[in-house]
Amino acid sequence: MENYKYLSELRPGTVIVEDIYANTAFPIVRKGTTLEIEHLEVLDLFNIKRVKVEERIVNRVQTEPREIGKTDTISSDIDELLENKISRSSDLHKMYKKAVNDYKREFTSWRSGVKLDIAKVRLLIMPLLETYMEHKKMLVMLNEYSNRKEYLYHHAVSVGILTAALATELDYPKGTTLQLGLAGTLTDCGMAKVNPALLEKAAFLTKDEFAEVKKHPIFSYQLMQDSPLLRQEMKLAVLQHHERLDGSGYPRGDQAEKISQLSQIIAVADVFHAMTCERVYRAKESPYRVAEMMKEEDFGKFDSRILDALYEVIGTPSIGDKVLLTNGDAGEVVSVNHNSPLRPNVKLQRREELVDLTTNRSIAIEKVVN
């Protein structure tokens, strides 16, 4: 007998009866798979709500240390660990969704001419900043929460969280970290003064349209300039968050030492989240591929110390980590390449094949699923 079960109802030993996709070319879990703990974590990471399963549990007897594809014991300890993990993830996601909805409400009011109330934004983002500092491993999942329709609101909340995480990694004092996280959340508040049709346009913007969108850092600064709740250096960071060290940014084309490090932290968080999310004109990218692109292809635009901090924030793969690759394969990291920490050697789960990601540049890590 077959039926659908929610993720929270699944247990190791449950048999999947249909391929499961998650905006991927290949299934993330294949039909006929007997679920292991690792599979449940994969489903959780991809935000799969429910799956079709057989009404039976395969008993599994553990004879050696557990690996993907080997036997497992369905113990109450494992069940409790899984339930706690799902519960923590679910609770954090609920907090995140509430913050996004609250920010959307505020943004809508700014569009109608209501004055920016930084105290309200501070109230909605501070609990998340504090919580994510204690759940660092969840940071790499932020792009999974976003969606194309409400990207603008997800982006604001996620940039605030990532900005605070980067500042923490760079050893800024907690007070500065929280202020900068608040500034990160407000970087795009000026988008409320941009024609909404331009923000929702699926086609490429014309030169004049893009020039209008590029005014949003100035609009953001103007909206917050009179508030005493944000330090002046934070307001400057908002104004400069689209400036680049090589002078290729906007609105003023500032470069090098003219750009504050605080604004560079927001810039890295802003670009990283934007590139990892689905947009009206672009599919989302792997966080690991994006971090690598920012360091290699955009060399000279961002402070290398902040990019190093980004690597630490998203977590570089370690030997023994179970990973999903961008081509749909799953495997285990068997060795790391210190010159390319996001491109380890991976032993594929199904084909017993070793893949060196430094030479297979078309493939990257999609998820670490420990």
Side-chain angles (χ1 to χ4, degrees):
M1 183 177 176
E2 303 171 354
N3 71 345
Y4 281 93
K5 283 196 173 184
Y6 288 98
L7 182 60
S8 59
E9 300 175 307
L10 296 179
R11 295 294 180 269
T14 304
V15 179
I16 298 294
V17 298
E18 64 182 7
D19 289 339
I20 301 173
Y21 294 84
N23 294 322
T24 53
F26 300 91
I28 60 171
V29 178
R30 296 183 184 276
K31 177 181 178 180
T33 297
T34 300
L35 291 179
E36 312 279 353
I37 291 293
E38 288 86 353
H39 298 122
L40 293 166
E41 291 179 341
V42 168
L43 295 174
D44 184 26
L45 285 170
F46 276 96
N47 202 27
I48 301 299
K49 300 300 184 185
R50 51 180 211 151
V51 297
K52 195 172 186 179
V53 301
E54 286 187 10
E55 271 296 338
R56 67 187 179 96
I57 296 289
V58 177
N59 291 321
R60 311 180 71 78
V61 180
Q62 185 168 333
T63 57
E64 55 183 300
R66 177 173 55 80
E67 297 177 10
I68 289 182
K70 296 200 174 181
T71 55
D72 272 317
T73 301
I74 308 176
S75 69
S76 59
D77 288 344
I78 290 177
D79 281 352
E80 183 179 356
L81 179 64
L82 178 62
E83 288 173 357
N84 287 341
K85 178 185 184 299
I86 293 173
S87 177
R88 286 196 303 271
S89 174
S90 177
D91 289 345
L92 192 54
H93 193 191
K94 286 177 183 176
M95 287 182 63
Y96 171 90
K97 284 171 64 177
K98 183 180 184 304
V100 169
N101 289 333
D102 289 346
Y103 179 87
K104 179 181 179 180
R105 189 179 305 113
E106 293 302 306
F107 188 90
T108 302
S109 71
W110 305 331
R111 270 186 171 164
S112 65
V114 174
K115 185 177 180 181
L116 169 65
D117 187 342
I118 292 182
K120 287 185 177 180
V121 181
R122 181 179 179 181
L123 189 63
L124 72 87
I125 196 63
M126 285 301 168
L128 270 182
L129 300 186
E130 298 272 10
T131 303
Y132 269 94
M133 287 178 187
E134 299 173 3
H135 296 85
K136 182 178 174 182
K137 289 184 178 180
M138 302 297 290
L139 290 163
V140 78
M141 290 177 59
L142 287 172
N143 70 314
E144 295 296 332
Y145 297 155
S146 182
N147 63 69
R148 182 172 60 181
K149 185 177 179 181
E150 297 193 316
Y151 162 79
L152 189 63
Y153 318 120
H154 285 273
H155 185 63
V157 171
S158 293
V159 169
I161 294 169
L162 289 167
T163 296
L166 289 170
T168 300
E169 193 65 41
L170 291 163
D171 293 326
Y172 277 87
K174 186 173 182 180
T176 301
T177 294
L178 294 176
Q179 269 270 304
L180 193 58
L182 175 58
T185 306
L186 288 165
T187 51
D188 285 349
C189 67
M191 288 289 193
K193 304 305 178 185
V194 174
N195 184 347
L198 299 183
L199 305 182
E200 297 162 7
K201 186 176 179 180
F204 285 107
L205 299 178
T206 66
K207 183 177 180 180
D208 288 343
E209 288 172 338
F210 188 42
E212 178 65 20
V213 173
K214 286 166 68 173
K215 294 176 183 178
H216 78 268
I218 298 173
F219 296 152
S220 295
Y221 181 81
Q222 290 172 341
L223 285 171
M224 65 181 63
Q225 64 180 339
D226 295 330
S227 175
L229 297 180
L230 206 59
R231 301 175 199 165
Q232 185 58 36
E233 61 266 31
M234 303 300 171
K235 297 172 185 176
L236 176 62
V238 169
L239 177 64
Q240 291 187 322
H241 78 277
H242 276 291
E243 302 289 3
R244 300 291 178 259
L245 295 179
D246 62 359
S248 62
Y250 61 86
R252 300 186 301 193
D254 291 341
Q255 58 183 307
E257 69 279 355
K258 291 185 178 180
I259 305 173
S260 77
Q261 188 178 56
L262 296 179
S263 75
Q264 294 173 57
I265 294 172
I266 296 177
V268 168
D270 176 67
V271 171
F272 174 74
H273 184 259
M275 292 180 66
T276 58
C277 288
E278 182 183 13
R279 309 284 291 277
V280 292
Y281 52 84
R282 185 183 64 211
K284 65 183 179 182
E285 281 273 13
S286 155
Y288 300 95
R289 190 195 293 275
V290 168
E292 182 181 64
M293 289 167 59
M294 291 176 68
K295 197 163 192 176
E296 297 178 1
E297 297 179 22
D298 290 331
F299 180 78
K301 295 181 181 294
F302 304 103
D303 188 322
S304 61
R305 293 168 296 174
I306 301 173
L307 293 177
D308 288 340
L310 177 63
Y311 273 42
E312 293 300 319
V313 163
I314 66 174
T316 55
S318 303
I319 294 174
D321 281 348
K322 306 296 189 298
V323 296
L324 286 176
L325 304 181
T326 52
N327 68 349
D329 283 333
E332 179 178 328
V333 175
V334 294
S335 64
V336 296
N337 296 302
H338 295 291
N339 292 330
S340 299
L342 300 184
R343 290 193 165 274
N345 294 307
V346 177
K347 183 179 180 182
L348 300 185
Q349 175 186 335
R350 293 185 175 275
R351 300 199 299 271
E352 295 295 314
E353 177 185 343
L354 188 65
V355 176
D356 182 354
L357 296 183
T358 61
T359 57
N360 288 270
R361 303 294 294 187
S362 62
I363 306 171
I365 290 176
E366 182 74 41
K367 295 285 180 189
V368 175
V369 294
N370 292 343

